[in-house]
Amino acid sequence: MKSKQFPKQFKWGVTISSYQNEGAYNSHGKGPSIWDTFTHKTSFKKGNGNTATDFYSNYKADIAHVKALNLDCFRFSLSWSRIFPLGVGDVNAEGVKFYHDVIDYALELGIEPWVTLYHWDLPQALQDQGGWTNRNILHWFETYVEFCTKEYGLKVKTWIILNEPMSFVGLGYYMGMHAPGKKGVSNFLPAAHHAALCQSLGGRIVRKNVEKASIGTTFSCSYVRPFNRRVIHKHAAVRVDALLNRFFLEPALGMGYPTDAFAGLNFMSKYMKPGDEELLPFDFDFIGVQYYFKVVAKFSLLPPILFATEVPAEKRDVKINAMNLEIYPKGLYKMLEKFNAYPQIKSIYITESGVCFEDELIDGKVNDKNRINYFKKTFKYTLKAIENNMPIKGYFIWTLVDNFEWAEGIKPRFGIIHNDFSTQKRTIKKSGLWLKRFLSKRNNKI
Ligand code: BGC
């Protein structure tokens, strides 16, 4: 008979990131990151992460919550400019110690620390030299990863190289919606290629420096469907799928960029140096799948090269989250199937999934039934994937505490713990309490 329970060794975790949580943006020796610069521009109207959830001061209480909610793992990212205020060169000892404190406290409570090396907050000093568009990023990143792995490698065994390269390259270097606010193909293509090279370079450095490391990297993914059955829309969906779901994954797996889906990607060759093709793959121990929403694509003359656009969820009469994106739990299953189809992938962790609403604290409680519903459904699909022999090893919730949601500010709330940003008071939401009960049983049925 097929099991209806999660395997005992299945890992349950939660993910946060440095810029969205730490605060202490210009103190304790930290240098500015591109997100400090971007959010401090007068044209940016959604606040900033100067204080965020003040994880810098609250890390103990927050990690204690991870423990209290019966989770096994805590995934967080290192802020590059807290360690190297100028990206390279002098090290900020106080910043280095902060992450030791975070790691030590997690270990003390029996929580596994999972470190992400890059979750979008590039040191501004490196952006001043072109950031991800400058091929020197390979050397800068190498210095940073060498340092971090030697510093923390005895304590931390699970390392994630990049968080969602398509998000930070696409939104930050093509659409201008995220830091550093750059636009156009001439920024996008070199930034993308250098990120793809750093993804594998980082993997090789962790392998060299950390004994018995488990090494992964994460990809954003969206379940893409065509607007209707017309061939032009079907083809548009294939291109969007290649861009959103295959672009960074396939080079890491040794398959090169998905130029079969659209010839426009051949422009990438302009930024490729001899030998690059051999540098793109890395034998990752696991792949991190990060799923949030479904995308419907249709043919469009703009933007050129891609010749496709998204049909907004609001126009499709579907359930949407606080960022107007379609809530579609089944899409997680579809994405797991898609990733599982690559024979090179050994293990998969869902390193982020979650949903945002404009949750309200009423009489000291947040009744976020809709979030519980999302987790129940995506847990069921995860279990179904395991039953169908897909190597899914864990699920990490995005996120612990409501935080600074990038270009959207603090309105969309993703946490299982509510944050009052004026007092930093945390209140566990109904979803957090539900999760705690669910995990207390282990071998839990869903
Ligand atoms: C990112 C997070 C972000 C979340 C919700 C993911 O793409 O890794 O930083 O907050 O999605 O939008």
Side-chain angles (χ1 to χ4, degrees), residues 17 20 119-120 163-164 167 220 290 292 323 352 398 403-406 414:
S17 84
Q20 294 177 277
H119 199 132
W120 310 358
N163 185 72
E164 300 188 355
S167 304
S220 48
Q290 314 210 142
Y292 289 91
M323 286 162 73
E352 282 183 28
W398 182 269
N403 62 28
F404 184 75
E405 178 51 36
W406 307 111
F414 274 95

Side-chain angles (χ1 to χ4, degrees), residues 13 46 58 92 138 183 224-225 245 330-331 400 421 428:
K46 296 285 174 84
N58 293 319
N92 170 31
L138 270 70
K183 290 185 182 162
V224 182
R225 299 299 300 150
N245 299 323
K330 190 175 179 184
L400 186 64
F421 287 92
I428 303 180

Side-chain angles (χ1 to χ4, degrees), residues 2 14 48 53 59 68 74 90 95 106 134 149 184 214 227 297 397 446:
K2 276 188 179 173
V14 68
N48 56 56
T53 67
Y59 74 91
F74 178 54
D90 289 346
N134 185 337
T149 46
S214 172
F227 177 53
I397 280 166
I446 185 84

Side-chain angles (χ1 to χ4, degrees), residues 131-232:
W132 285 97
T133 65
N134 185 337
R135 198 174 163 105
N136 284 338
I137 189 93
L138 270 70
H139 306 298
W140 304 330
F141 193 65
E142 183 179 358
T143 309
Y144 167 63
V145 180
E146 282 283 353
F147 179 86
C148 296
T149 46
K150 286 180 183 152
E151 188 67 36
Y152 306 116
L154 285 177
K155 301 175 181 174
V156 174
K157 292 296 162 193
T158 308
W159 291 79
I160 287 174
I161 312 300
L162 299 182
N163 185 72
E164 300 188 355
M166 183 44 84
S167 304
F168 73 81
V169 177
L171 296 166
Y173 288 87
Y174 179 70
M175 301 180 71
M177 288 160 66
H178 274 198
K182 302 290 176 203
K183 290 185 182 162
V185 178
S186 61
N187 283 308
F188 174 78
L189 292 177
H193 184 50
H194 302 146
L197 286 169
C198 283
Q199 171 175 271
S200 51
L201 170 71
R204 285 188 288 275
I205 299 171
V206 182
R207 186 73 83 221
K208 170 172 75 70
N209 290 346
V210 183
E211 235 181 276
K212 296 198 181 130
S214 172
I215 309 170
T217 197
T218 71
F219 300 100
S220 48
C221 59
S222 297
Y223 178 50
V224 182
R225 299 299 300 150
F227 177 53
N228 62 29
R229 287 160 169 234
R230 286 183 61 197
V231 173
I232 46 165

